[in-house]
Amino acid sequence: MLKKNQIIQVTIEDINHLGYGVCHIDGMAVFVRGGVSADVAEIKIIKVLKSYGVAILHQIVQPSAYRLPDPCPVHSACGGCAFAHIDYEYEKVLKGRFVEAELLKAGMNHIK
């Protein structure tokens, strides 16, 4: 059971359309601000709801190959550039997946 302020080591599995890393803990999805696919990190749980949790990066244990150094001194505090810390080629792959998912949801699965 997740608890607020708990620190857990995880591997980030994916990134959602808002730029949050996604991992699962005991079957529950946890959205991690600043997480990048394949990061191994310690995360701090900041919110636990019925069906998901929200966390922030506490410490990166092993950075992902897709992770770039923060380009801005206030990036982690501001959050305005959700994908600024991600390799551009990988960002294009992610955004392509997001567009495909929305087209499928709209019933346009015949477009490729």
Side-chain angles (χ1 to χ4, degrees), residues 74-97:
V74 296
H75 172 255
S76 60
C78 169
C81 304
F83 296 92
H85 60 293
I86 299 170
D87 173 72
Y88 183 62
E89 292 304 314
Y90 185 56
E91 179 182 349
K92 291 191 294 187
V93 169
L94 289 170
K95 289 182 177 180
R97 284 191 351 219

Side-chain angles (χ1 to χ4, degrees), residues 4-111:
K4 187 175 178 180
N5 296 322
Q6 185 177 13
I7 296 176
I8 304 168
Q9 184 170 313
V10 298
T11 299
I12 304 297
E13 303 161 17
D14 203 355
I15 299 175
N16 71 10
H17 67 286
L18 299 173
Y20 281 73
V22 181
C23 65
H24 289 84
I25 301 171
D26 298 330
M28 181 182 276
V30 178
F31 302 102
V32 183
R33 183 174 174 202
V36 176
S37 302
D39 273 345
V40 176
E42 289 182 353
I43 61 171
K44 181 177 181 180
I45 305 297
I46 60 170
K47 186 183 243 183
V48 179
L49 299 168
K50 190 174 184 179
S51 60
Y52 68 93
V54 180
I56 57 174
L57 284 176
H58 180 70
Q59 178 180 355
I60 298 173
V61 176
Q62 182 174 342
S64 167
Y66 304 120
R67 177 175 286 283
L68 297 176
D70 281 343
C72 172
V74 296
H75 172 255
S76 60
C78 169
C81 304
F83 296 92
H85 60 293
I86 299 170
D87 173 72
Y88 183 62
E89 292 304 314
Y90 185 56
E91 179 182 349
K92 291 191 294 187
V93 169
L94 289 170
K95 289 182 177 180
R97 284 191 351 219
F98 302 153
V99 170
E100 284 180 19
E102 290 302 315
L103 289 172
L104 285 171
K105 197 161 61 171
M108 299 178 173
N109 54 348
H110 61 281
I111 299 173

